[in-house]
């Protein structure tokens, strides 16, 4: 897992997640030794290109030394170089490791090996003895989990009635308040001088962002930095939202507790996973609606969207990995996991931490999940924004919509209402794949709807499995 950075997430959250309990939990031996279904493996693919490449590696020919046992699966795959790639899977996570240079998780070698294993191929020896390199990786994972658990316990003990910690928190609150006040003045000055000169209105914000970092308000810093790149037509709106946030922090003690928690999160205060898990949890059968990885030079971020079968609550799990390493949490799209989730506090709770799991992910009921019409998705987002004005988008399942390309771009329609597809949400090639999947017939789509449109993540046809719409 990755240590905290100053980059906020789309919900104002920060990648400060410490390992959830899921990462150290070990399932029963019976659960680990069951072969996964082909559908289960396919649901892990990050995109169609990886799936297609993995299909070519799902035959025994390129593999040597493949085996499984003790909750792990491994093998050596011949590539174009002299040294074979060594993919390995910790089936209890699941977690993946491969010596190939791919930044996709799981990579095509892991997927190919999983497909070979799920098909029951004799090329993957059962109950095999783990090679040293597999044992070393599993041992390192186990030791890392134990060390993280110790650090969490130490932090909990150090934070109990710690006068020094309270003093530091008070000092930070004062610095953030001063930064927020300075930011309001800078925004007011900008409006007073006028926004018609875009170059002048969007200049100087990098320096302001640095001031907000000094004030220990990374959320304000990130939004101030974005002003330098905001389009002319949206500049006043961004000014207003940022002014509203800075002003809300100035009165945060007067706000209702849920809204105050949202404001603190947007400004840049984070809550550790262990602290969230210490609060109330929600046990449900959580349908995995979609998963997506995004990466930059510093961090790989994985977003996993869930919806409770009994409660109907949406949830978002965030997991982070350093460059070249897969995030810890991985749940296959289209399956159902019974587990407890703890939600971060806020006026519109969405981000959650995975707590106790009750068994392994199971196959979801046949057919696509229940969804709403486009007009209902718009109304749902409106209700969410009423609670959290800084919300960019809200999860939604659109039922039986058809993608169509019109003069103003792609839209999703059910014949009565329509929503635009968010520009840049999917590359052009993926949009045409979606159109081919639909072939003019209705499909069910999971994604996020916001003021910029709908961003699809997963698609279902009337009788097909979940298909990830990778970028």
């Amino acid at each position: 897992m990755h240590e905290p950075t100053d980059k906020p997430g789309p919900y104002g959250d920060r990648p400060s997640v410490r390992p959830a309990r899921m990462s150290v939990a070990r399932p029963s031996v019976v659960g680990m030794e069951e072969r996964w279904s082909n559908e289960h493996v396919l649901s892990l693919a990050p995109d169609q290109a990886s799936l297609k490449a993995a299909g070519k590696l799902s035959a025994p020919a390129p593999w040597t030394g493949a085996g499984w046992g003790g909750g792990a699966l491994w093998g050596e795959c011949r590539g174009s170089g002299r040294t074979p790639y060594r993919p390995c899977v910790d089936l209890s996570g699941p977690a993946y490791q491969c010596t190939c240079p791919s930044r996709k998780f799981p990579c095509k070698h892991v997927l190919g090996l999983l497909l070979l294993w799920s098909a029951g191929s004799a090329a993957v020896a059962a109950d095999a003895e783990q090679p040293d390199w597999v044992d070393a990786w599993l041992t390192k994972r186990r030791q890392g989990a134990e060390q993280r658990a110790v650090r969490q316990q130490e932090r909990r003990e150090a934070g109990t009635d710690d006068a020094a910690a309270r003093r530091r928190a008070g000092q930070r609150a004062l610095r953030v308040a001063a930064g927020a006040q300075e930011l309001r003045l800078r925004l007011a000055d900008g409006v007073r001088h006028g926004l018609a000169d875009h170059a002048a209105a969007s200049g100087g914000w990098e320096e302001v962002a640095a001031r907000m970092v000094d004030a220990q308000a990374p959320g304000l810093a990130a939004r101030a930095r974005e002003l330098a790149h905001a389009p002319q037509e949206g500049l006043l709106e961004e000014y207003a939202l940022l002014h509203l946030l800075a002003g809300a922090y100035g009165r945060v003690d007067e706000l209702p507790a849920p809204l105050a928690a949202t404001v603190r999160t947007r400004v840049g205060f984070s809550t550790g996973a262990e602290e969230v898990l210490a609060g109330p949890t929600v046990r449900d059968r959580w349908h995995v609606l979609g998963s997506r990885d995004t990466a930059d030079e510093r961090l790989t971020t994985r977003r996993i969207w869930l919806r409770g079968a009994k409660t109907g609550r949406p949830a978002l799990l965030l997991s982070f990995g350093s460059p070249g390493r897969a995030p810890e949490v991985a749940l296959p799209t289209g399956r159902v996991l019974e587990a407890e989730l703890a939600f971060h506090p806020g006026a519109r709770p969405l981000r959650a931490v995975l707590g106790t799991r009750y068994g392994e992910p199971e196959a979801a009921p046949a057919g696509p999940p229940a969804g709403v019409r486009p007009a209902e998705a718009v109304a749902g987002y409106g209700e969410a924004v009423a609670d959290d004005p800084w919300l960019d988008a809200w999860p939604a399942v659109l039922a039986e919509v058809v993608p169509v390309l019109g003069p103003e771009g792609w839209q999703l329609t059910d014949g009565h209402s329509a929503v635009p597809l968010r520009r840049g949400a999917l590359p052009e090639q993926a949009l045409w794949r979606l159109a081919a999947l639909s072939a003019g017939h209705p499909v069910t789509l999971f994604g996020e709807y916001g003021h910029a449109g709908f961003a699809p993540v997963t698609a279902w046809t009337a009788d097909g499995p979940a298909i990830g719409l990778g970028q």
Side-chain angles (χ1 to χ4, degrees), residues 320-333:
F320 306 94
S322 55
R325 295 184 59 186
E328 283 284 337
V329 180
L331 295 175
T333 297

Side-chain angles (χ1 to χ4, degrees), residues 54 159 183 193 200 212:
L183 181 58
H193 287 94
M212 295 303 107

